[in-house]
Structures are given as structure tokens and as C-alpha cells.
Amino acid sequence: MKKLLLALLLAVSAPAMADKFIVERAWTHDLKSPYGADTWYFKGIIDVNKDLAVDSSLQVTQVEGSNKVSNRFDVGVIPKFDIYGPVRGRVRLALGEKWSSTGNYKTYAVEPGIYGNLGAGFSASLGYRYRNSLDSAYKDRTTTLRTGIDYA
């Protein structure tokens, strides 16, 4: 319970400290299950310099039909590098913890990607996330393709 309260405190205070704060809502459907999931993401990013950022995120998910709830909190470091012209690369490395009805365990994630400015305040990104449990007793491997258009 103390860890969950700490995660919530960080999520609430992150907008004041972060260079960028993101709130996102997503509905997903697992092909192996008849149920979907309603998820809220809260993420704060601090740009240390042009080539390095750190972040923290909180994810709260409720599964439709079963009303199972799971929460994730993680912190990451994001080195960034030039690729060609306006295109840059990044690799997010993160450690976290998941709390759910099936158990509490630590996780890690590796997220390579590219991004670039499109002009007029727009930027585009393309990436991939591999996330897994550090404890082999929990089967929590996920892979995610990430795409986005941002306006700043």
C-alpha cells in the first residue's frame, strides 16, 4: 500500500516538476481474451539536456467484465542521439513494479524508437516496446508498436 501511495503522490506532483506531462486514456483488446481493458496513463518527462531525459509513469487499468484492476509504476532513462537531418533516435530503459490481483512483481522495459520534427510545431514518432517481468514466475511479457504525432 505504501508503494501505491508513493506512486500516486509522484503522479500528482509530476506536472509541477516535469518539462512535459502527459495524460492519456486508452481502450485495448487482448485477442486471447473476450474482454477489453480501460487504461489511464500519467507520465512526467524531465529533459536533462538535448541528449538525455528521465521519466516516470503510472498506469491504472481496469479489465471489462471481470473488473480486475492492475497498476504499474516505472521510472526510465532516455538517451537520445542524432541519426540523419531532423531524425533522432532514442532508447528508453525502465524499471518498475506492477500491482494486480494475480501478484506484485518488478518489471523492466526496453523501448527503441525514432522521432523527428515535421515543421509548424508538429513532430512524428515511431517506436517499439518490449516489457517483461523480472520474476520468471509471472508471465507478463508484452510487445507494443508505438506511433504518434505531437503538437507543441
Side-chain angles (χ1 to χ4, degrees):
M1 184 64 168
K2 290 179 187 177
K3 291 179 185 177
L4 183 57
L5 290 174
L6 176 62
L8 289 172
L9 176 64
L10 285 171
V12 170
S13 62
M17 299 181 296
D19 292 320
K20 186 177 185 182
F21 186 73
I22 301 164
V23 176
E24 179 181 319
R25 185 173 184 198
W27 188 87
T28 57
H29 182 75
D30 183 346
L31 297 176
K32 296 177 279 187
S33 166
Y35 302 111
D38 189 19
T39 303
W40 283 91
Y41 297 97
F42 304 91
K43 185 173 194 171
I45 302 169
I46 297 172
D47 291 317
V48 177
N49 59 40
K50 169 178 135 5
D51 297 324
L52 182 66
V54 293
D55 70 358
S56 66
S57 65
L58 174 66
Q59 174 183 329
V60 180
T61 302
Q62 181 173 1
V63 177
E64 184 182 79
S66 69
N67 290 326
K68 290 181 182 176
V69 175
S70 68
N71 301 293
R72 290 182 186 269
F73 177 75
D74 68 8
V75 293
V77 60
I78 310 166
K80 304 174 188 178
F81 49 91
D82 293 331
I83 293 178
Y84 180 77
V87 179
R88 299 201 77 208
R90 65 176 166 222
V91 178
R92 180 177 186 261
L93 305 170
L95 291 174
E97 187 151 356
K98 180 177 180 179
W99 304 280
S100 72
S101 57
T102 57
N104 305 334
Y105 48 90
K106 296 187 178 0
T107 62
Y108 70 95
V110 178
E111 302 182 37
I114 59 172
Y115 66 100
N117 292 327
L118 300 174
F122 287 94
S123 63
S125 62
L126 174 65
Y128 171 81
R129 179 185 67 206
Y130 176 86
R131 180 170 58 197
N132 205 348
S133 169
L134 287 169
D135 184 344
S136 61
Y138 295 97
K139 308 294 185 211
D140 191 39
R141 185 179 68 91
T142 61
T143 57
T144 307
L145 177 65
R146 295 177 173 245
T147 61
I149 303 273
D150 294 332
Y151 180 75

